[in-house]
């Protein structure tokens, strides 16, 4: 994979670069500001990027704004957000464009190198990788969606784990069910959410976005 790393803290940025390269991927550019991040994403159009939310000069949300701008120009550009906080408003905006290839992890949750690289590769492949804490925060309002009300408690549990980016096999292991049972649940979820089989879309991503956006 060709990766852009945007992080203003030297030690963290250097650590991520070394880790990504140790797993056989190429870091094509790094950035330390919001403006630099947008320039790097436009120039390199990476397979995936890792972007910190808060970057210079104001240390507010320059990194996330750069990602939103880049994805408006390059729809579906895969991005894994790393942040110390859940930026709820912008996270919803990021997820609302309907394109896959999105991840959002809190820095404190990423302790394992394999976990980090697995999330990065899933996002690069057009999937999602969301921190459970981010999901909980995003769902803290408006949980009475009519479409989501159609789901059973078990289906909601399956969909929540799908939002974390887990495969059917991993969801089955987490819920102590068979993989075929999870497959039946996902088929039911797609049907109840009105998500049809289409070669041009990823039904898992659309289901997750419906879950998070709670329309």
């Amino acid at each position: 994979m060709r990766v852009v790393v945007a992080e203003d803290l030297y030690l963290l940025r250097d650590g991520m670069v070394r880790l990504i390269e140790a797993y056989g991927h190429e870091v094509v550019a790094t950035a330390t500001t919001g403006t630099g991040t947008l320039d790097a994403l436009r120039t390199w159009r990476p397979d995936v990027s890792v972007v910190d939310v808060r970057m210079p000069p104001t240390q507010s949300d320059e990194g996330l704004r750069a990602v939103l701008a880049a994805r408006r120009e390059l729809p579906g550009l895969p991005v894994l957000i790393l942040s110390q906080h859940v930026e709820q408003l912008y996270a919803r905006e990021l997820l609302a464009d309907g394109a896959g290839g999105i991840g959002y992890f809190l820095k404190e949750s990423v302790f394992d190198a394999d976990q980090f690289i697995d999330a990065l590769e899933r996002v690069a492949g057009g999937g999602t990788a969301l921190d459970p804490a981010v999901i909980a925060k995003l769902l803290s309002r408006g949980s009475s969606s009519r479409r989501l009300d159609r789901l059973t408690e078990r289906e909601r549990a399956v969909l929540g784990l799908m939002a974390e980016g887990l495969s059917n096999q991993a969801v089955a292991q987490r819920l102590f069910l068979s993989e075929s049972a999870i497959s039946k649940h996902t088929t039911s979820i797609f049907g109840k959410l009105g998500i049809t089989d289409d070669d041009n879309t990823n039904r898992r991503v659309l289901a997750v976005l419906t879950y998070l956006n709670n329309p």
Side-chain angles (χ1 to χ4, degrees), residues 131-206:
D131 192 308
V134 174
I135 295 171
K137 188 75 173 179
L138 292 174
L139 290 174
S140 62
R141 293 187 306 171
S143 60
S144 60
S145 163
R146 272 187 255 175
R147 281 201 285 176
L148 292 178
D149 283 348
R150 299 172 190 164
L151 304 185
T152 65
E153 185 176 345
R154 176 66 78 187
E155 289 166 346
R156 280 174 172 267
V158 171
L159 189 50
L161 293 173
M162 286 169 57
E164 292 181 33
L166 300 185
S167 66
N168 278 5
Q169 182 182 25
V171 173
Q173 291 173 347
R174 188 78 68 87
L175 296 179
F176 303 103
L177 296 173
S178 68
E179 193 170 344
S180 62
I182 299 302
S183 180
K184 289 178 182 176
H185 283 310
T186 57
T187 299
S188 177
I189 291 167
F190 296 148
K192 290 180 179 180
L193 296 181
I195 298 170
T196 57
D197 195 5
D198 183 337
D199 291 339
N200 298 316
T201 58
N202 184 321
R203 289 196 296 171
R204 292 178 75 89
V205 172
L206 290 178

Side-chain angles (χ1 to χ4, degrees), residues 103-120:
Y104 199 128
F105 267 79
L106 298 183
K107 290 180 180 178
E108 65 183 20
S109 298
V110 183
F111 295 114
D112 184 270
D114 289 338
Q115 177 193 26
F116 173 71
I117 295 298
D118 177 64
L120 199 61

Side-chain angles (χ1 to χ4, degrees), residues 1-7 12-14 16-17 20-21 25-52 55 63 66-67 70 74 77-82 116 120 123-124:
M1 297 187 301
R2 297 164 59 256
V3 185
V4 164
V5 175
E7 168 61 59
L12 183 54
R13 183 177 66 253
D14 187 60
M16 285 195 289
V17 169
I20 291 167
E21 291 181 340
H25 304 302
E26 179 187 9
V27 176
V28 295
T30 61
T32 59
T33 66
T35 303
T37 299
L38 181 56
D39 288 343
L41 295 177
R42 283 171 168 161
T43 301
W44 292 96
R45 302 190 179 198
D47 297 317
V48 65
S49 57
V50 186
V51 179
D52 186 14
M55 301 183 76
V67 167
L74 305 167
L77 185 71
V79 177
L80 174 62
I81 296 290
L82 280 183
F116 173 71
L120 199 61
V123 170

